[in-house]
Amino acid sequence: MKLWLLIAGMALITFGLRLSFIALAGRFEIPRVIQRALRFAPVAVLTAIVVPLLLNPGPGFTISPDLLRLFCAVVAFLIARQTRNILATVAGGMLLLWSLQALLPLLRQLLGQA
């Protein structure tokens, strides 16, 4: 019972914080400097998610890049530079990663048997 009360309390606090920004959005003028800084928030968040996955793919803390993921990240970067579309970037990078992860074991089997 205490766990559910804790979860409900956290949900209410999170909802209240998010609602406060939405409710107060039209009442205050956000300074230009902050508006310019907020333009970089999505890029910063995506970078904070992707870079640890590239440098530390396994359990524990080791800085050893996974070459397959690194290659897919470079291709995703090139897609981003060309299209400037985040959906195309994420979709292209993930499809390439999943495709290579599916095909590499098959190629290893074929090369190992031949």
Side-chain angles (χ1 to χ4, degrees):
M1 181 66 175
K2 288 182 182 181
L3 178 65
W4 288 109
L5 287 174
L6 181 66
I7 291 172
M10 289 187 303
L12 285 173
I13 290 171
T14 302
F15 180 76
L17 284 172
R18 292 181 182 193
L19 180 65
S20 68
F21 285 106
I22 294 170
L24 299 175
R27 297 184 182 172
F28 295 102
E29 184 70 27
I30 299 174
R32 276 260 187 240
V33 175
I34 294 176
Q35 286 179 358
R36 273 188 278 148
L38 286 175
R39 286 184 31 218
F40 297 104
V43 174
V45 169
L46 190 60
T47 303
I49 293 170
V50 169
V51 169
L53 291 174
L54 289 175
L55 296 179
N56 189 18
F61 181 74
T62 57
I63 297 181
S64 60
D66 181 2
L67 292 180
L68 181 64
R69 290 176 187 222
L70 197 57
F71 173 73
C72 293
V74 169
V75 171
F77 174 76
L78 295 174
I79 292 170
R81 289 282 310 250
Q82 187 68 28
T83 65
R84 300 215 181 265
N85 183 340
I86 195 158
L87 184 60
T89 301
V90 172
M94 289 305 298
L95 285 173
L96 180 63
L97 178 65
W98 291 336
S99 300
L100 291 177
Q101 284 178 338
L103 291 176
L104 281 180
L106 296 174
L107 288 175
R108 286 185 184 139
Q109 278 184 344
L110 289 175
L111 294 175
Q113 291 175 358

